Amino acid sequence: MRGLRTDKTAQVIIAGHAFMMNLRRGHYELAVDTPPALRVAAAFTELAQAI
């Protein structure tokens, strides 16, 4: 695993994975009106518009 050489990089990957799982499960108020299969794509569209 070339990308996980330090604890810091592993921590970033784990935090990103947890965010994606929580987003997919609907724990955030992002893309709540879309079906679960399309929730991640719709949430990233909402985040891009907010930035």
Side-chain angles (χ1 to χ4, degrees):
M1 294 229 172
R2 296 182 341 194
L4 300 176
R5 290 183 183 174
T6 66
D7 288 340
K8 180 65 177 169
T9 56
Q11 182 181 7
V12 169
I13 297 297
I14 291 168
H17 183 266
F19 173 73
M20 291 300 295
M21 290 296 108
N22 287 335
L23 184 64
R24 184 170 294 168
R25 292 179 182 137
H27 293 292
Y28 300 115
E29 294 183 11
L30 294 168
V32 292
D33 55 343
T34 58
L38 303 174
R39 189 171 290 147
V40 173
F44 274 98
T45 301
E46 286 183 26
L47 287 171
Q49 290 174 354
I51 295 174

